[in-house]
Amino acid sequence: MRILHTSDWHLGRAFHRVNMLGAQAEFIGHLVTTVRERGVDAVVVSGDVYDRAVPPLAAVELYDDVLHRLADLGVPTVMISGNHDSARRLGVGAGLIGRAGIHLRTEPSASGTPVVLSDPHGDVAFYGLPYLEPALVKDEFGVEKAGHEAVLAAAMHRVRADLATRAPGTRSVVLAHAFVTGGEASDSERDITVGGVAAVPAGVFDGVDYAALGHLHGCQTITERVRYSGSPLAYSFSETDHRKSMWLVDLGADGFVAAERVDCPVPRALARIRGTLEDLLADPQLARHEEAWVEATLTDPVRPADPMARLTERFPHTLSLVFDPERAPDDPDVSYARRLAGRSDQEIAEDFVAHVRGAGPDAREQGVLRDAFDAVRADEVVREVAR
């Protein structure tokens, strides 16, 4: 069976205030063409179909368009909700839509109920695990302590239990939206890794033939059977070096997995440039970036006059301007933001405790901080879904 694995469309998202709807529509057209021309038997979309719980109308129209186009091709599609989606909104009409071959899996309670497709070699069971916010689903899965690994492991227990009841030789595919240990994050994913406790080991997916992951925006191979497709478009300059693609997965009769990357259309190249303003304006090596979307980091010791206006004369698509004067690390003028760069909320809070009382938090206090951040995140999810 040939499967096209994609995720993290984020329909409705902008890139530094640039409307990406046209680029998203181009990707959708590319996806449909790939399905038709490469003999795809099933499409899997591993969450974050939309960029927010209440997407703009234009994004909903694009989603509606792709559903119709895939249904017209007669190629079954399995979708799950991600942490950006409203699971309840995305799942509206799932029963009716399923009759057209578009299978929406947004209910955690249905994690062990697969979509079963067949090829000449037998059945393939597709299990959809929507994004599982631990605080909201721990009772559903009967786990004592809310945690991403615990709830995902419980969901996978249901998957294995169902798979054990099926005919010998039934192959299996799991869709999940999670942060798996070994994956490399970028700036454009909404944080679901507070304090590192949200990361789950790849071994949680043992026992299935293929795990089609979503959430991380870089295309990655965790193991030969556990992969991220990544987002089809770049949504932050941290993705400058990404090669945006989908996985074309051939699932053999014996469960053997062979995967090929299918490149996605690139609306415009990204570039990060760094130096003094005068150097950036004069350096001939930067000519290749003149038509790219640019993030410029200025290292001038004193902020120059009209930097954006001057930059856009050479780089008309400059979208982001960062000031990072070159100073010694112990210079008192080094910005607070720079000192915090790359640190998690948990680490910042622990440093604050150490600064106030002269000693960092012990293990129990670290747990209290983690629980507090998890509670805030869960509350944000609840309020977003309820909008």
Side-chain angles (χ1 to χ4, degrees):
M1 181 172 288
R2 174 162 285 186
I3 302 162
L4 186 64
H5 167 200
T6 177
S7 72
D8 295 274
W9 294 354
H10 289 276
L11 300 181
R13 186 165 186 162
F15 180 73
H16 288 267
R17 299 179 301 280
V18 173
N19 188 318
M20 296 293 285
L21 198 66
Q24 291 170 341
E26 184 179 0
F27 159 69
I28 292 300
H30 170 69
L31 180 146
V32 172
T33 298
T34 301
V35 170
R36 183 175 59 248
E37 295 184 351
R38 298 298 301 270
V40 171
D41 299 304
V43 176
V44 298
V45 186
S46 300
D48 283 352
V49 176
Y50 291 121
D51 188 55
R52 56 182 186 266
V54 185
L57 178 59
V60 177
E61 291 173 339
L62 184 54
Y63 170 72
D64 181 65
D65 176 64
V66 69
L67 295 191
H68 279 85
R69 294 169 74 177
L70 289 172
D72 287 345
L73 289 176
V75 175
T77 299
V78 185
M79 290 185 173
I80 61 172
S81 50
N83 59 304
H84 279 237
D85 299 308
S86 165
R88 292 172 65 185
R89 285 188 173 87
L90 190 66
V92 169
L96 286 173
I97 296 172
R99 298 178 188 178
I102 308 295
H103 305 280
L104 303 176
R105 290 294 183 265
T106 63
E107 292 291 337
S109 59
S111 296
T113 305
V115 176
V116 180
L117 306 178
S118 299
D119 68 7
H121 305 291
D123 290 345
V124 181
F126 289 78
Y127 297 89
L129 312 186
Y131 170 62
L132 303 175
E133 175 56 53
L136 303 183
V137 302
K138 65 183 181 68
D139 292 338
E140 164 66 32
F141 290 106
V143 299
E144 294 182 4
K145 185 173 177 58
H148 283 271
E149 182 176 353
V151 296
L152 195 54
M156 283 300 301
H157 177 75
R158 293 187 183 183
V159 167
R160 295 187 190 94
D162 178 85
L163 194 56
T165 68
R166 300 194 173 271
T170 299
R171 290 156 291 164
S172 54
V173 175
V174 166
L175 289 71
H177 196 85
F179 184 89
V180 174
T181 303
E184 183 177 345
S186 63
D187 292 342
S188 57
E189 297 114 6
R190 179 179 297 164
D191 181 31
I192 60 170
T193 59
V194 174
V197 296
V200 300
V204 77
F205 299 107
D206 286 351
V208 298
D209 293 303
Y210 185 71
L213 302 182
H215 178 58
L216 299 186
H217 287 187
C219 183
Q220 300 171 61
T221 299
I222 306 300
T223 73
E224 288 303 307
R225 296 184 181 275
V226 180
R227 299 172 187 263
Y228 284 98
S229 66
S231 62
L233 297 168
Y235 292 113
S236 78
F237 279 102
S238 66
E239 300 171 50
T240 297
D241 296 328
H242 285 191
R243 173 188 164 196
K244 295 302 184 181
S245 57
M246 304 176 285
W247 284 113
L248 193 65
V249 177
D250 286 320
L251 186 61
D254 58 355
F256 177 78
V257 171
E260 171 192 347
R261 290 179 71 175
V262 178
D263 290 334
C264 296
V266 179
R268 189 180 295 277
L270 306 185
R272 278 177 152 171
I273 59 178
R274 179 184 179 91
T276 66
L277 179 59
E278 295 303 328
D279 286 346
L280 297 183
L281 295 177
D283 188 350
Q285 296 296 320
L286 300 180
R288 66 186 188 279
H289 299 315
E290 289 177 353
E291 294 304 316
W293 279 323
V294 168
E295 178 182 76
T297 299
L298 299 185
T299 60
D300 302 75
V302 177
R303 186 173 301 203
D306 299 322
M308 182 61 90
R310 294 172 65 188
L311 275 169
T312 53
E313 289 180 2
R314 183 180 187 189
F315 306 102
H317 304 288
T318 301
L319 300 181
S320 175
L321 185 57
V322 179
F323 293 97
D324 188 18
E326 292 185 345
R327 297 190 176 108
D330 57 353
D331 190 319
D333 290 332
V334 172
S335 72
Y336 181 68
R338 184 175 175 184
R339 294 199 300 273
L340 297 184
R343 300 179 67 76
S344 69
D345 291 342
Q346 177 86 15
E347 291 169 329
I348 293 168
E350 291 177 7
D351 286 350
F352 176 75
V353 172
H355 172 74
V356 169
R357 73 179 188 191
D362 58 26
R364 183 189 66 81
E365 292 167 331
Q366 289 175 339
V368 170
L369 287 171
R370 277 196 299 270
D371 290 344
F373 283 121
D374 285 345
V376 170
R377 186 183 65 250
D379 181 65
E380 289 176 347
V381 172
V382 170
R383 285 189 286 108
E384 187 170 79
V385 170
R387 288 174 58 193

